Amino acid sequence: MKKKYVWFFLLLLAAAVAVGFRSEVAGFLRRNFTATFSEVLPSDPAKLRALYLKKHPKELNIAVFGPWNYYAKQGFILDKAIQLAVDEVNASGGILGRKVNPVWVDNENYSAVAQEQAEKLAADPSVFAVIGPVTSGRVLQFNSLFGDAGMPEVAPLAQSERINRENTNALLFMPIASDLDESRALAAWAQGGGRNNFLILNDDSRFPMSYGSCVEQSFYEKDLLVYGRVLFDQSSRKNYIRDQVLQYLDYFPVQNIIYLSKTGDASDYADLAGRIFARLPEGTLYFNEFTTFDRLLKIRLDRNRVFVSAAIPLNAANRAELRKFLKIEGYERDFLSLIAYRGVHIFADAVRQAGSLDPRRIAETMRTGVMKTPLGEFRFSAGGFEAGPPLEILSLEELEKRWRAIAAD
């Protein structure tokens, strides 16, 4: 019986509210109720995030979102590099007096897992910003998800020209050379060295404006010949790349090979390089920066015929920072970890310069300012990539010489 009276009372209350809702008194009460309790009522993610920051003035939670275990297995220390940068930022006073707390999220390099995690992060009011995802495909997958949630996003290793072409996410930045900028640097290197007749090995050229298509476009602009592209992915059968390359060498006068790997897997480098150099006495083999230097050193002794894009200058100004990395266990002298490390410092300095945790002010500072990092000053282009990237195409011989000089200091 008691339950019936409770339900009867609730129905009467609901009816009274429904009748009085349109009255001036109800309107007055409703406005005051909203003003009084708006902070605890459900709201959009940006407002909830601002409220969380107000209630927690000493901390700043930043999601670190990527396939960390996957890249660790490929020889990259991206997670350690990012943690090193976070520790340095906190040691220097944090960001606007707040301690940075990295919220590690491993998306396992799977689309479905990454989507679920990204949606949870975008809805989490305790997370202010995102470092990641790592790959272009994941950034494209979420498009403006984080931007719509009012979260600044720094995707340190995403290079695709397809990202943000429609300016759908004003809070997204990528502190690395775009595929097109890097392709143009590669074309200039090829032309300057009198190299021609190329074959491209590429793992994402199914799409327009992919890395492979950017290379082709840049080479054609300089009247350089590209005979074709060998498409592959992580599911390609063993020796697939080798067999495809040998077929091209049988039918076309290929002289140089460009290996645009974004998987980091170097298992077939040695066999591939041996066969290529046996067939191409004067040929060269180029790898982009998604390759570890230590693994490349093991492929062959022709170190003046294997080239890599140096995405971070290996110069005297950066030696002190680079020596820190040489002391990290497992560091195989890759450029990706350096770029991810620098990305954290870029974001931290942008927030300091903005003097605010307003995402729009931070984005405007990143878009127009000059950020200072332990690896030099940094500027963004209008498209959100590194502006005027100081890319060098160096032989393994030259890279080895520069790393030895760094280690010797």
Side-chain angles (χ1 to χ4, degrees):
M1 292 295 293
K2 290 183 178 180
K3 287 186 178 180
K4 289 183 178 180
Y5 286 118
V6 170
W7 281 110
F8 181 73
F9 174 78
L10 290 175
L11 286 171
L12 286 177
L13 180 62
V17 171
V19 172
F21 191 78
R22 297 177 185 176
S23 68
E24 291 183 5
V25 174
F28 173 80
L29 292 173
R30 186 172 65 253
R31 287 192 298 273
N32 280 273
F33 178 85
T34 302
T36 304
F37 298 99
S38 61
E39 290 189 342
V40 297
L41 290 174
S43 182
D44 65 86
K47 289 182 179 179
L48 290 174
R49 200 161 283 112
L51 176 62
Y52 183 90
L53 290 171
K54 184 178 179 180
K55 290 184 175 180
H56 301 82
K58 297 298 183 181
E59 67 180 46
L60 191 66
N61 299 324
I62 297 179
V64 189
F65 185 33
W68 308 120
N69 290 332
Y70 169 78
Y71 270 97
K73 292 177 181 177
Q74 305 301 336
F76 298 103
I77 60 157
L78 294 173
D79 52 346
K80 294 180 181 178
I82 290 173
Q83 186 64 59
L84 173 62
V86 169
D87 291 342
E88 291 177 352
V89 167
N90 285 333
S92 64
I95 298 180
L96 301 183
R98 295 171 178 263
K99 178 185 177 183
V100 177
N101 297 319
V103 179
W104 293 92
V105 180
D106 194 317
N107 61 36
E108 302 176 24
N109 208 36
Y110 285 108
S111 176
V113 173
Q115 184 69 40
E116 180 181 355
Q117 291 173 336
E119 291 173 359
K120 287 181 179 179
L121 286 174
D124 188 344
S126 70
V127 178
F128 174 70
V130 178
I131 302 296
V134 173
T135 60
S136 295
R138 293 291 169 261
V139 177
L140 285 163
Q141 177 183 349
F142 310 132
N143 197 7
S144 58
L145 177 65
F146 294 124
D148 289 345
M151 303 173 73
E153 179 183 0
V154 177
L157 307 180
Q159 296 179 278
S160 174
E161 281 290 314
R162 294 172 291 145
I163 296 174
N164 223 14
R165 288 180 66 81
E166 305 301 324
N167 297 316
T168 54
N169 187 353
L171 304 182
L172 171 61
F173 294 87
M174 294 145 287
I176 190 173
S178 71
D179 285 342
L180 190 55
D181 281 343
E182 188 159 325
S183 297
R184 286 170 175 163
L186 183 55
W189 163 80
Q191 186 182 56
R195 300 176 180 88
N196 207 341
N197 302 331
F198 287 87
L199 174 64
I200 299 172
L201 314 184
N202 183 37
D203 58 0
D204 67 351
S205 54
R206 302 170 181 78
F207 307 104
M209 295 306 292
S210 68
Y211 202 164
S213 64
C214 286
V215 171
E216 278 193 313
Q217 174 185 321
S218 300
F219 276 41
Y220 291 156
E221 289 173 356
K222 293 188 176 296
D223 295 322
L224 299 171
L225 286 173
V226 176
Y227 287 109
R229 300 203 298 260
V230 175
L231 303 184
F232 63 93
D233 57 31
Q234 296 172 49
S235 63
S236 295
R237 62 178 175 78
K238 185 175 177 60
N239 298 328
Y240 168 82
I241 299 173
R242 182 201 66 190
D243 294 342
Q244 292 293 308
V245 169
L246 294 179
Q247 286 185 26
Y248 269 97
L249 295 181
D250 285 337
Y251 294 103
F252 296 96
V254 174
Q255 296 175 359
N256 303 283
I257 308 288
I258 299 173
Y259 196 122
L260 303 178
S261 171
K262 295 204 173 180
T263 64
D265 184 5
S267 60
D268 60 348
Y269 292 171
D271 178 65
L272 180 64
R275 291 174 182 272
I276 287 175
F277 288 137
R279 296 282 294 273
L280 304 176
E282 302 301 325
T284 61
L285 182 57
Y286 167 86
F287 293 89
N288 65 330
E289 69 273 31
F290 280 71
T291 318
T292 69
F293 176 58
D294 286 2
R295 294 190 187 191
L296 287 180
L297 285 178
K298 298 175 182 177
I299 68 173
R300 204 173 160 84
L301 296 178
D302 303 70
R303 292 179 181 173
N304 61 339
R305 295 172 59 196
V306 180
F307 293 84
V308 182
S309 171
I312 298 287
L314 302 178
N315 55 26
N318 291 334
R319 282 182 181 175
E321 292 304 311
L322 295 173
R323 282 198 297 275
K324 291 181 184 177
F325 281 80
L326 293 178
K327 297 176 182 178
I328 297 177
E329 182 181 358
Y331 182 51
E332 296 189 25
R333 293 182 285 184
D334 69 275
F335 287 103
L336 299 191
S337 299
L338 299 175
I339 294 169
Y341 163 84
R342 183 181 63 178
V344 175
H345 280 288
I346 289 169
F347 179 70
D349 194 55
V351 179
R352 293 189 193 109
Q353 289 188 43
S356 166
L357 291 178
D358 180 343
R360 299 290 170 179
R361 287 183 61 179
I362 295 169
E364 184 61 24
T365 301
M366 294 178 76
R367 192 173 292 110
T368 61
V370 179
M371 276 63 70
K372 294 179 173 59
T373 82
L375 290 172
E377 294 184 344
F378 185 93
R379 295 175 177 82
F380 281 105
S381 67
F385 294 100
E386 182 174 8
L391 293 168
E392 290 185 278
I393 312 298
L394 302 175
S395 68
L396 289 190
E397 191 172 53
E398 178 61 26
L399 279 170
E400 195 173 19
K401 184 187 302 181
R402 295 194 187 188
W403 275 115
R404 278 201 304 266
I406 292 166
D409 285 348

Short mmCIF file of all heavy atoms in Angstrom, two decimals, residues 207-246:
data_model
loop_
_atom_site.label_atom_id
_atom_site.label_comp_id
_atom_site.label_asym_id
_atom_site.label_seq_id
_atom_site.Cartn_x
_atom_site.Cartn_y
_atom_site.Cartn_z
N PHE A 207 45.00 5.37 -51.36
CA PHE A 207 44.19 6.55 -51.19
C PHE A 207 44.75 7.75 -51.94
O PHE A 207 45.97 7.88 -52.11
CB PHE A 207 44.11 6.92 -49.70
CG PHE A 207 43.67 5.78 -48.83
CD1 PHE A 207 44.58 5.09 -48.05
CD2 PHE A 207 42.34 5.40 -48.81
CE1 PHE A 207 44.18 4.04 -47.25
CE2 PHE A 207 41.93 4.35 -48.01
CZ PHE A 207 42.85 3.67 -47.23
N PRO A 208 43.89 8.66 -52.41
CA PRO A 208 44.40 9.90 -53.01
C PRO A 208 45.14 10.72 -51.97
O PRO A 208 44.79 10.71 -50.79
CB PRO A 208 43.12 10.60 -53.49
CG PRO A 208 42.02 10.02 -52.66
CD PRO A 208 42.42 8.60 -52.40
N MET A 209 46.16 11.42 -52.39
CA MET A 209 47.00 12.23 -51.51
C MET A 209 47.69 11.39 -50.45
O MET A 209 48.02 11.86 -49.37
CB MET A 209 46.21 13.37 -50.86
CG MET A 209 45.68 14.39 -51.83
SD MET A 209 46.97 15.09 -52.91
CE MET A 209 47.92 16.02 -51.73
N SER A 210 47.94 10.11 -50.74
CA SER A 210 48.72 9.28 -49.83
C SER A 210 50.18 9.65 -49.98
O SER A 210 50.57 10.44 -50.85
CB SER A 210 48.53 7.80 -50.18
OG SER A 210 49.12 7.52 -51.44
N TYR A 211 51.00 9.05 -49.13
CA TYR A 211 52.44 9.33 -49.18
C TYR A 211 52.99 8.98 -50.56
O TYR A 211 53.71 9.76 -51.19
CB TYR A 211 53.14 8.51 -48.10
CG TYR A 211 54.49 9.03 -47.67
CD1 TYR A 211 55.08 8.58 -46.49
CD2 TYR A 211 55.19 9.97 -48.41
CE1 TYR A 211 56.31 9.04 -46.07
CE2 TYR A 211 56.42 10.44 -48.01
CZ TYR A 211 56.98 9.96 -46.84
OH TYR A 211 58.20 10.42 -46.44
N GLY A 212 52.62 7.78 -51.06
CA GLY A 212 53.13 7.36 -52.37
C GLY A 212 52.71 8.28 -53.49
O GLY A 212 53.51 8.62 -54.37
N SER A 213 51.45 8.72 -53.48
CA SER A 213 51.00 9.61 -54.55
C SER A 213 51.65 10.98 -54.44
O SER A 213 51.90 11.65 -55.45
CB SER A 213 49.47 9.73 -54.52
OG SER A 213 49.01 10.33 -53.34
N CYS A 214 51.93 11.44 -53.20
CA CYS A 214 52.65 12.72 -53.03
C CYS A 214 54.06 12.63 -53.61
O CYS A 214 54.54 13.58 -54.23
CB CYS A 214 52.71 13.09 -51.55
SG CYS A 214 51.16 13.67 -50.85
N VAL A 215 54.73 11.49 -53.39
CA VAL A 215 56.06 11.31 -53.95
C VAL A 215 56.00 11.33 -55.47
O VAL A 215 56.80 12.01 -56.14
CB VAL A 215 56.70 10.00 -53.45
CG1 VAL A 215 57.99 9.70 -54.20
CG2 VAL A 215 56.97 10.08 -51.95
N GLU A 216 55.06 10.59 -56.04
CA GLU A 216 54.92 10.58 -57.49
C GLU A 216 54.69 11.98 -58.04
O GLU A 216 55.32 12.40 -59.01
CB GLU A 216 53.76 9.67 -57.90
CG GLU A 216 54.12 8.21 -57.96
CD GLU A 216 53.07 7.39 -58.66
OE1 GLU A 216 51.88 7.56 -58.35
OE2 GLU A 216 53.46 6.58 -59.54
N GLN A 217 53.77 12.71 -57.43
CA GLN A 217 53.48 14.06 -57.88
C GLN A 217 54.72 14.95 -57.83
O GLN A 217 55.02 15.68 -58.79
CB GLN A 217 52.38 14.67 -57.00
CG GLN A 217 52.08 16.14 -57.28
CD GLN A 217 51.07 16.70 -56.30
OE1 GLN A 217 50.11 16.02 -55.94
NE2 GLN A 217 51.28 17.94 -55.88
N SER A 218 55.45 14.89 -56.73
CA SER A 218 56.64 15.73 -56.57
C SER A 218 57.73 15.36 -57.56
O SER A 218 58.44 16.23 -58.08
CB SER A 218 57.17 15.61 -55.13
OG SER A 218 56.19 16.03 -54.20
N PHE A 219 57.85 14.06 -57.84
CA PHE A 219 58.87 13.62 -58.80
C PHE A 219 58.49 14.02 -60.21
O PHE A 219 59.34 14.44 -61.00
CB PHE A 219 59.05 12.10 -58.69
CG PHE A 219 59.99 11.68 -57.60
CD1 PHE A 219 59.96 12.31 -56.37
CD2 PHE A 219 60.90 10.66 -57.78
CE1 PHE A 219 60.81 11.94 -55.34
CE2 PHE A 219 61.76 10.28 -56.77
CZ PHE A 219 61.72 10.92 -55.54
N TYR A 220 57.23 13.92 -60.56
CA TYR A 220 56.79 14.31 -61.89
C TYR A 220 57.00 15.80 -62.12
O TYR A 220 57.30 16.23 -63.24
CB TYR A 220 55.32 13.95 -62.10
CG TYR A 220 55.05 12.47 -62.18
CD1 TYR A 220 53.79 11.96 -61.87
CD2 TYR A 220 56.05 11.57 -62.55
CE1 TYR A 220 53.54 10.59 -61.93
CE2 TYR A 220 55.80 10.21 -62.61
CZ TYR A 220 54.55 9.72 -62.30
OH TYR A 220 54.31 8.38 -62.35
N GLU A 221 56.83 16.59 -61.06
CA GLU A 221 57.06 18.03 -61.19
C GLU A 221 58.50 18.35 -61.57
O GLU A 221 58.77 19.41 -62.14
CB GLU A 221 56.71 18.72 -59.86
CG GLU A 221 55.20 18.77 -59.56
CD GLU A 221 54.90 19.29 -58.18
OE1 GLU A 221 55.86 19.56 -57.41
OE2 GLU A 221 53.71 19.45 -57.85
N LYS A 222 59.41 17.44 -61.25
CA LYS A 222 60.83 17.64 -61.59
C LYS A 222 61.27 16.72 -62.72
O LYS A 222 62.47 16.49 -62.91
CB LYS A 222 61.70 17.42 -60.34
CG LYS A 222 61.47 18.48 -59.25
CD LYS A 222 62.46 18.34 -58.13
CE LYS A 222 62.27 19.46 -57.11
NZ LYS A 222 62.55 20.80 -57.67
N ASP A 223 60.30 16.21 -63.48
CA ASP A 223 60.58 15.36 -64.64
C ASP A 223 61.37 14.11 -64.27
O ASP A 223 62.23 13.64 -65.04
CB ASP A 223 61.33 16.15 -65.73
CG ASP A 223 60.47 17.28 -66.29
OD1 ASP A 223 59.26 17.07 -66.45
OD2 ASP A 223 61.03 18.36 -66.55
N LEU A 224 61.10 13.56 -63.09
CA LEU A 224 61.73 12.31 -62.67
C LEU A 224 60.74 11.17 -62.90
O LEU A 224 59.54 11.32 -62.71
CB LEU A 224 62.11 12.38 -61.19
CG LEU A 224 63.11 13.48 -60.81
CD1 LEU A 224 63.23 13.60 -59.30
CD2 LEU A 224 64.47 13.21 -61.43
N LEU A 225 61.25 10.02 -63.32
CA LEU A 225 60.41 8.88 -63.66
C LEU A 225 60.14 7.98 -62.45
O LEU A 225 61.06 7.63 -61.72
CB LEU A 225 61.06 8.05 -64.76
CG LEU A 225 61.03 8.64 -66.18
CD1 LEU A 225 61.87 7.77 -67.11
CD2 LEU A 225 59.60 8.73 -66.68
N VAL A 226 58.88 7.62 -62.29
CA VAL A 226 58.49 6.62 -61.30
C VAL A 226 57.78 5.51 -62.07
O VAL A 226 56.73 5.74 -62.67
CB VAL A 226 57.54 7.21 -60.23
CG1 VAL A 226 57.07 6.13 -59.28
CG2 VAL A 226 58.24 8.33 -59.45
N TYR A 227 58.31 4.32 -62.03
CA TYR A 227 57.76 3.23 -62.82
C TYR A 227 56.56 2.54 -62.17
O TYR A 227 55.79 1.88 -62.85
CB TYR A 227 58.85 2.19 -63.10
CG TYR A 227 59.85 2.67 -64.12
CD1 TYR A 227 61.14 3.00 -63.73
CD2 TYR A 227 59.51 2.82 -65.45
CE1 TYR A 227 62.07 3.46 -64.65
CE2 TYR A 227 60.42 3.29 -66.38
CZ TYR A 227 61.70 3.61 -65.98
OH TYR A 227 62.60 4.08 -66.89
N GLY A 228 56.40 2.72 -60.88
CA GLY A 228 55.25 2.10 -60.24
C GLY A 228 55.37 2.10 -58.73
O GLY A 228 56.36 2.60 -58.17
N ARG A 229 54.32 1.58 -58.09
CA ARG A 229 54.30 1.49 -56.63
C ARG A 229 53.92 0.07 -56.25
O ARG A 229 52.97 -0.50 -56.79
CB ARG A 229 53.29 2.47 -56.03
CG ARG A 229 53.57 3.93 -56.36
CD ARG A 229 52.94 4.85 -55.33
NE ARG A 229 51.51 4.78 -55.24
CZ ARG A 229 50.68 5.66 -55.81
NH1 ARG A 229 51.16 6.64 -56.53
NH2 ARG A 229 49.38 5.54 -55.65
N VAL A 230 54.65 -0.49 -55.32
CA VAL A 230 54.33 -1.81 -54.77
C VAL A 230 53.53 -1.59 -53.49
O VAL A 230 54.05 -1.05 -52.51
CB VAL A 230 55.61 -2.62 -54.47
CG1 VAL A 230 55.25 -3.93 -53.78
CG2 VAL A 230 56.39 -2.88 -55.75
N LEU A 231 52.26 -1.97 -53.51
CA LEU A 231 51.41 -1.79 -52.34
C LEU A 231 51.55 -2.98 -51.40
O LEU A 231 51.61 -4.12 -51.83
CB LEU A 231 49.94 -1.68 -52.76
CG LEU A 231 49.60 -0.57 -53.76
CD1 LEU A 231 48.10 -0.54 -53.97
CD2 LEU A 231 50.09 0.76 -53.27
N PHE A 232 51.61 -2.69 -50.11
CA PHE A 232 51.69 -3.77 -49.14
C PHE A 232 51.11 -3.29 -47.82
O PHE A 232 50.92 -2.09 -47.60
CB PHE A 232 53.14 -4.22 -48.93
CG PHE A 232 54.04 -3.16 -48.36
CD1 PHE A 232 54.24 -3.05 -47.00
CD2 PHE A 232 54.67 -2.24 -49.18
CE1 PHE A 232 55.05 -2.08 -46.46
CE2 PHE A 232 55.49 -1.25 -48.66
CZ PHE A 232 55.68 -1.16 -47.30
N ASP A 233 50.80 -4.21 -46.97
CA ASP A 233 50.36 -3.88 -45.62
C ASP A 233 50.81 -4.97 -44.67
O ASP A 233 51.56 -5.87 -45.05
CB ASP A 233 48.84 -3.68 -45.56
CG ASP A 233 48.06 -4.89 -46.05
OD1 ASP A 233 48.57 -6.03 -45.88
OD2 ASP A 233 46.97 -4.71 -46.60
N GLN A 234 50.37 -4.88 -43.43
CA GLN A 234 50.86 -5.82 -42.41
C GLN A 234 50.40 -7.26 -42.66
O GLN A 234 50.97 -8.20 -42.11
CB GLN A 234 50.37 -5.36 -41.03
CG GLN A 234 50.95 -4.01 -40.63
CD GLN A 234 50.31 -3.48 -39.38
OE1 GLN A 234 50.19 -4.19 -38.40
NE2 GLN A 234 49.87 -2.25 -39.40
N SER A 235 49.38 -7.43 -43.51
CA SER A 235 48.90 -8.77 -43.79
C SER A 235 49.54 -9.39 -45.03
O SER A 235 49.22 -10.53 -45.39
CB SER A 235 47.37 -8.75 -43.97
OG SER A 235 47.02 -7.97 -45.09
N SER A 236 50.42 -8.64 -45.69
CA SER A 236 51.06 -9.18 -46.89
C SER A 236 51.88 -10.42 -46.51
O SER A 236 52.53 -10.46 -45.47
CB SER A 236 51.98 -8.13 -47.51
OG SER A 236 51.23 -7.03 -47.98
N ARG A 237 51.84 -11.41 -47.40
CA ARG A 237 52.55 -12.65 -47.10
C ARG A 237 54.05 -12.44 -47.11
O ARG A 237 54.57 -11.48 -47.69
CB ARG A 237 52.17 -13.72 -48.13
CG ARG A 237 52.56 -13.37 -49.55
CD ARG A 237 52.19 -14.50 -50.52
NE ARG A 237 52.45 -14.11 -51.89
CZ ARG A 237 53.64 -14.09 -52.46
NH1 ARG A 237 54.70 -14.43 -51.75
NH2 ARG A 237 53.78 -13.75 -53.72
N LYS A 238 54.76 -13.34 -46.48
CA LYS A 238 56.21 -13.26 -46.40
C LYS A 238 56.83 -13.24 -47.80
O LYS A 238 56.40 -13.98 -48.68
CB LYS A 238 56.74 -14.46 -45.61
CG LYS A 238 58.24 -14.44 -45.35
CD LYS A 238 58.64 -15.60 -44.47
CE LYS A 238 60.14 -15.66 -44.26
NZ LYS A 238 60.65 -14.45 -43.62
N ASN A 239 57.80 -12.39 -47.99
CA ASN A 239 58.53 -12.23 -49.25
C ASN A 239 57.71 -11.57 -50.36
O ASN A 239 58.16 -11.48 -51.49
CB ASN A 239 59.07 -13.57 -49.76
CG ASN A 239 60.07 -14.20 -48.81
OD1 ASN A 239 60.80 -13.49 -48.12
ND2 ASN A 239 60.11 -15.52 -48.75
N TYR A 240 56.51 -11.07 -50.02
CA TYR A 240 55.68 -10.42 -51.04
C TYR A 240 56.40 -9.22 -51.64
O TYR A 240 56.46 -9.06 -52.87
CB TYR A 240 54.35 -9.99 -50.42
CG TYR A 240 53.54 -9.06 -51.29
CD1 TYR A 240 52.74 -9.57 -52.31
CD2 TYR A 240 53.57 -7.68 -51.11
CE1 TYR A 240 52.00 -8.72 -53.13
CE2 TYR A 240 52.84 -6.82 -51.92
CZ TYR A 240 52.06 -7.35 -52.92
OH TYR A 240 51.34 -6.50 -53.73
N ILE A 241 56.95 -8.35 -50.79
CA ILE A 241 57.62 -7.15 -51.27
C ILE A 241 58.81 -7.53 -52.15
O ILE A 241 59.00 -6.99 -53.24
CB ILE A 241 58.07 -6.26 -50.09
CG1 ILE A 241 56.87 -5.84 -49.27
CG2 ILE A 241 58.82 -5.04 -50.59
CD1 ILE A 241 57.22 -5.11 -48.00
N ARG A 242 59.61 -8.46 -51.66
CA ARG A 242 60.79 -8.88 -52.42
C ARG A 242 60.41 -9.38 -53.80
O ARG A 242 61.00 -9.00 -54.81
CB ARG A 242 61.54 -9.97 -51.66
CG ARG A 242 62.81 -10.45 -52.34
CD ARG A 242 63.21 -11.84 -51.84
NE ARG A 242 62.21 -12.84 -52.24
CZ ARG A 242 62.19 -14.08 -51.79
NH1 ARG A 242 63.08 -14.48 -50.91
NH2 ARG A 242 61.26 -14.92 -52.20
N ASP A 243 59.39 -10.25 -53.88
CA ASP A 243 58.99 -10.82 -55.16
C ASP A 243 58.47 -9.75 -56.11
O ASP A 243 58.75 -9.78 -57.32
CB ASP A 243 57.91 -11.89 -54.94
CG ASP A 243 58.44 -13.10 -54.17
OD1 ASP A 243 59.68 -13.25 -54.11
OD2 ASP A 243 57.62 -13.86 -53.63
N GLN A 244 57.69 -8.81 -55.58
CA GLN A 244 57.17 -7.74 -56.42
C GLN A 244 58.29 -6.85 -56.96
O GLN A 244 58.29 -6.47 -58.13
CB GLN A 244 56.17 -6.89 -55.63
CG GLN A 244 54.89 -7.61 -55.26
CD GLN A 244 54.04 -7.92 -56.48
OE1 GLN A 244 53.75 -7.04 -57.28
NE2 GLN A 244 53.66 -9.17 -56.63
N VAL A 245 59.24 -6.54 -56.10
CA VAL A 245 60.37 -5.71 -56.53
C VAL A 245 61.15 -6.42 -57.63
O VAL A 245 61.53 -5.80 -58.65
CB VAL A 245 61.28 -5.39 -55.33
CG1 VAL A 245 62.60 -4.76 -55.82
CG2 VAL A 245 60.58 -4.45 -54.37
N LEU A 246 61.42 -7.69 -57.46
CA LEU A 246 62.19 -8.42 -58.47
C LEU A 246 61.47 -8.46 -59.81
O LEU A 246 62.11 -8.40 -60.87
CB LEU A 246 62.48 -9.84 -57.97
CG LEU A 246 63.40 -9.92 -56.75
CD1 LEU A 246 63.60 -11.37 -56.32
CD2 LEU A 246 64.75 -9.26 -57.03
#
